[in-house]
């Protein structure tokens, strides 16, 4: 009886977990080509929309800007080497 309950609990947990989608976009490149078909996918290895569009000619595909590409690298705030002014 205990084994049957344990088996039901384990099966219930496995079914409730579901699946997690994988990351679609590669954050290394600013432009991705979305390829349509039975198995659609994103190919993120293009430096510009023009390059992607050139290579998408004749294919069932479109080019999109990669939403996960960092536009600017974070910069550290500059520290002033001057001593603080009195009264500020």
């Amino acid at each position: 009886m205990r084994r049957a309950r344990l088996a039901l609990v384990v099966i219930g947990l496995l079914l409730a977990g579901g699946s997690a989608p994988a990351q679609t976009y590669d954050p290394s490149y600013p432009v991705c080509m979305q390829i349509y078909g039975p198995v659609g996918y994103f190919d993120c290895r293009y430096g510009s929309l023009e390059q992607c569009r050139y290579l998408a000619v004749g294919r069932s595909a479109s080019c999109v800007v990669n939403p996960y590409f960092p536009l600017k690298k974070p910069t550290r705030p500059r520290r002033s080497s001057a001593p603080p002014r009195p009264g500020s």
Side-chain angles (χ1 to χ4, degrees):
M1 185 75 168
R2 287 176 126 176
R3 285 186 177 177
R5 272 194 233 162
L6 180 61
L8 287 175
V9 169
V10 170
I11 291 172
L13 289 174
L14 289 174
L15 293 176
S19 63
Q23 183 173 347
T24 306
Y25 298 93
D26 178 3
S28 303
Y29 292 94
V31 178
C32 299
M33 184 186 300
Q34 183 176 6
I35 291 94
Y36 303 102
V39 179
Y41 61 96
F42 284 86
D43 181 15
C44 298
R45 57 179 170 175
Y46 304 99
S48 68
L49 280 170
E50 292 78 21
Q51 178 190 22
C52 178
R53 288 179 183 144
Y54 178 79
L55 295 169
V57 170
R59 299 176 73 178
S60 179
S62 64
C63 297
V64 295
V65 175
N66 187 348
Y68 296 101
F69 181 74
L71 295 178
K72 293 183 179 179
K73 293 184 179 180
T75 58
R76 294 183 184 174
R78 290 183 151 192
R79 291 186 182 183
S80 175
S81 59
R85 295 182 185 176
S88 54

